[in-house]
Structures are given as C-alpha cells and as structure tokens.
Amino acid sequence: MEPRERFTRFGPTRFGDAELLSLIIGAGAPAMAAVARTLLARFGDLSALADADVSELTQVPGLGPARAVQLLAAMEVGKRSMLPTLHKPQVRSAAEAYELLYAQLSGRPQEMLYAIYLNRRKAVLAVRQLTVGNDAHTIVDPRQVYRRAVRSNAAAVIVAHNHPSGDAEPSAQDLAVTRRLAEAGAVVGVELLDHLIIGAGCYTSLADRGLFRPFSPTPPVIRSAQRGVSGLR
C-alpha cells in the first residue's frame, strides 16, 4: 500500500517522523524517504529541524530549495496550529508558564528541558523541547537555549525541566545551571525570566523563590578612548 493510501486509511499516528517528512517533501517516494532519514540523522529531531533555515536544509543531498521551503512552511503551519487562539498567548507569571508546560513535563519518566520564547510584551513566540535525559539528569547547553532564542527573535526566555521523582525542590546543580543560563542570556541580549522545576502536580519557580538574579541584557557601548570613557576593549 502506498504511503498516501495508508495515511488516508489509518491517519498519521501509524507513521514515524521520517515517513511523515517524506510525505511532505515527496509524497513518500523511496528517494525522499532516504532524504527524510538523513534529515533526522543530521538535525536530531523534529524540533531542531523546525528551527533550521533553507540554507542548512539544502546541504542535505537530494533536498533542493523548493522542497526545503515546502518543508519549513509545513512545519511553521504545524507550530502555529498549536497556539490556542488567533492571538499569541502571554506568559506573565510562573503559574502561566506552568500551565503551558505541565502536560509536556508532568509524570515523565526522564528529565526533559523545555523553553518558552517570548517577545518584549511577554507574548509566546515558540515553545521548544530542547533535551531529553534520563531519570536523574538532562544536559543543559546555553548555546542551544539561546541559539533558538535568536532564531525566534525572542527578547526573553523561560526554561523548565521536570523531576521524575515528583519532588519539585531544586538541586544545587539546578541553581548553578540557572545562574549560568542567566549570565549567558545577558551576553546575547535575551533575558532569562525564570526556571521552573516541575514535579508531581506541583512546581517551583526559582525566580519567585529569589534563588537567582535575572541579568538584564546591557549591550556594551564602544566609545572613543580619547574621551576617557571605558567601553568594549
């Protein structure tokens, strides 16, 4: 049975990520199925793939500009369809961030890191799963967090991860990672507003607890050394 026929009969739930991608870029043709597998191998997952640009996609053999645009357009439609209203929702508190993320993070058997990217009015630009770890930890890479922030043109970010144990109390490592993220955000001009720890039906907001100091982005100013004003050197 051809992929289109299977999709019509059974719907998308029986399709893996690579099969769905091959349907978008080539109606499930065998050649495009191989391209789809290469895409996932190179980018890692659909979330990372959705953040790519046309020039990055066309580096994959067999994927030209037309199909790359087609793929990114389809993924953008999917992202926009996840917004609950025609207007971008706003996240102005830890409780609203928790409400947005608890379904993705509560009750998971492994630690997962998510990020909410916001504009200056605290409207949601994107929600991204960044990493998946094991039942004890997950890797937090500031470059990954802020690379996607820059691509989303975000002014601020809220990160959240779960504790599979159900205990939402932050560890010493959680606090250290948060401080590192806040400092990195200040450098790139994206403010870290909060870090949520999500447990079993509960959460801890490190910002509300006063457990980290947000670093407001302050771009360096280059001034003439002859005027005696210190700046970027």
Side-chain angles (χ1 to χ4, degrees):
M1 186 181 296
E2 293 295 321
R4 280 180 173 175
E5 295 173 2
R6 285 198 295 121
F7 191 97
T8 300
R9 178 173 295 186
F10 302 115
T13 58
R14 296 194 182 185
F15 282 72
D17 291 347
E19 289 181 297
L20 290 172
L21 287 175
S22 69
L23 278 173
I24 294 172
I25 61 178
M32 287 300 104
V35 171
R37 290 192 294 270
T38 302
L39 280 168
L40 286 177
R42 177 166 298 188
F43 289 93
D45 57 29
L46 293 177
S47 178
L49 184 59
D51 283 331
D53 56 36
V54 172
S55 63
E56 291 173 311
L57 293 182
T58 53
Q59 293 175 19
V60 174
L63 191 68
R67 284 197 169 102
V69 168
Q70 181 177 327
L71 174 58
L72 291 179
M75 300 193 85
E76 179 63 22
V77 167
K79 286 190 288 185
R80 294 186 187 187
S81 72
M82 298 299 292
L83 296 178
T85 67
L86 292 176
H87 301 287
K88 291 182 175 69
Q90 288 184 306
V91 173
R92 294 160 293 189
S93 67
E96 290 178 342
Y98 172 69
E99 184 178 350
L100 189 62
L101 291 177
Y102 79 93
Q104 287 89 345
L105 288 171
S106 182
R108 299 289 183 175
Q110 65 271 98
E111 284 199 8
M112 305 170 71
L113 178 70
Y114 271 73
I116 304 172
Y117 296 105
L118 307 168
N119 66 16
R120 295 190 184 281
R121 296 184 178 182
K122 305 298 187 291
V124 176
L125 298 174
V127 178
R128 293 283 182 269
Q129 176 187 306
L130 299 180
T131 60
V132 179
N134 56 31
D135 62 353
H137 71 275
T138 190
I139 296 171
V140 181
D141 184 349
R143 292 172 299 179
Q144 187 177 19
V145 173
Y146 291 109
R147 181 170 62 245
R148 296 188 179 189
V150 171
R151 286 178 171 174
S152 300
N153 198 29
V157 61
I158 296 171
V159 297
H161 81 280
N162 62 310
H163 282 176
S165 67
D167 182 2
E169 283 299 308
S171 66
Q173 185 177 6
D174 292 336
L175 299 178
V177 164
T178 305
R179 286 192 292 270
R180 191 159 65 248
L181 284 175
E183 292 168 359
V187 171
V188 300
V190 179
E191 184 177 5
L192 178 70
L193 295 179
D194 205 347
H195 183 177
L196 301 187
I197 315 295
I198 295 180
C202 59
Y203 71 93
T204 295
S205 160
L206 270 60
D208 287 354
R209 286 266 195 101
L211 295 176
F212 85 99
R213 179 174 63 88
F215 287 80
S216 296
T218 53
V221 177
I222 302 175
R223 305 198 180 189
S224 171
Q226 290 143 336
R227 297 176 64 184
V229 180
S230 62
L232 185 65
R233 298 185 181 182

